[in-house]
Amino acid sequence: GTCSNSRIRSVISIKVVLLCTKTDSFYLLPVFVTSLPSIGMAASHMASSTSHKNPKLIAIPDVEIDKHGKFKYILVKVHDPDVDREFKHIVRGTAKAAFHADIYDRVSELIEEKGLDCEILGGGRIDHEPSKKSIKIYGYSQQFGQADHTITHSILLRAFKEYDQITWSNEGY
């Protein structure tokens, strides 16, 4: 077909999309798209099987990100030191943070106040466009490395069920 503008024209596979440009050339881009409302990964990768019964873990929201815009985010594993192997992953992101460590400093303080421990698993960036019901997860943290965007993606799919598109890519900074 012909390409009249620079937007995604069709999904080639679950891992590649066809991008058409104004000059009618095209490129295959590694963008990972999951059709909603599919979770895309087993829940066991996001939390231990009994974490939903732990009142301390339940009290920690799975997602706290800015309502819109592009910003840094971190993926954090929260666990209860009193219960062996009980954990869950959470996503935190804000444009107010100059560094990924700024987000972690705030999060770790709040989590430790609740008697829990946490560790940062990496970071990246989020482009949140609520008017388009779209979230893009990409990039990495220079200090903490790249978060496992598949886990972040699964968590955001559960938190933003009404969104049309939540994608992730290992490309970009």
Side-chain angles (χ1 to χ4, degrees):
T2 62
C3 300
S4 59
N5 56 31
S6 61
R7 58 187 174 99
I8 295 173
R9 299 295 292 178
S10 63
V11 176
I12 300 302
S13 75
I14 195 144
K15 294 185 179 181
V16 180
V17 295
L18 177 65
L19 179 71
C20 297
T21 67
K22 292 179 183 177
T23 61
D24 284 340
S25 59
F26 63 92
Y27 303 93
L28 295 178
L29 296 178
V31 175
F32 301 82
V33 179
T34 299
S35 299
L36 299 180
S38 169
I39 295 300
M41 106 177 300
S44 64
H45 290 97
M46 295 184 302
S48 59
S49 61
T50 57
S51 66
H52 67 282
K53 297 177 184 176
N54 185 316
K56 290 193 285 186
L57 288 174
I58 292 168
I60 305 294
D62 292 344
V63 177
E64 289 182 352
I65 63 172
D66 285 354
K67 295 183 187 293
H68 60 84
K70 292 181 182 181
F71 46 86
K72 291 175 174 65
Y73 93 89
I74 59 171
L75 179 64
V76 178
K77 184 175 184 178
V78 180
H79 51 93
D80 187 341
D82 299 328
V83 184
D84 190 36
R85 298 185 180 152
E86 201 161 82
F87 73 92
K88 76 181 209 177
H89 292 106
I90 62 171
V91 176
R92 297 294 184 267
T94 181
K96 295 176 185 170
F99 302 99
H100 290 91
D102 297 333
I103 303 170
Y104 184 67
D105 289 346
R106 172 102 173 102
V107 169
S108 62
E109 181 180 320
L110 295 172
I111 287 172
E112 289 168 4
E113 286 174 2
K114 296 186 185 299
L116 298 166
D117 291 333
C118 64
E119 62 182 295
I120 189 165
L121 301 177
R125 298 186 188 283
I126 289 176
D127 184 356
H128 186 187
E129 296 184 76
S131 64
K132 294 181 180 179
K133 293 187 177 183
S134 170
I135 297 176
K136 296 174 187 161
I137 307 156
Y138 63 97
Y140 61 93
S141 162
Q142 289 183 343
Q143 185 173 6
F144 300 111
Q146 186 173 68
D148 184 337
H149 296 323
T150 62
I151 295 173
T152 303
H153 179 251
S154 296
I155 293 168
L156 294 179
L157 280 172
R158 289 196 322 186
F160 294 91
K161 292 176 183 167
E162 72 282 5
Y163 275 42
D164 297 327
Q165 190 173 57
I166 298 176
T167 61
W168 66 271
S169 171
N170 286 329
E171 305 301 316
Y173 171 73

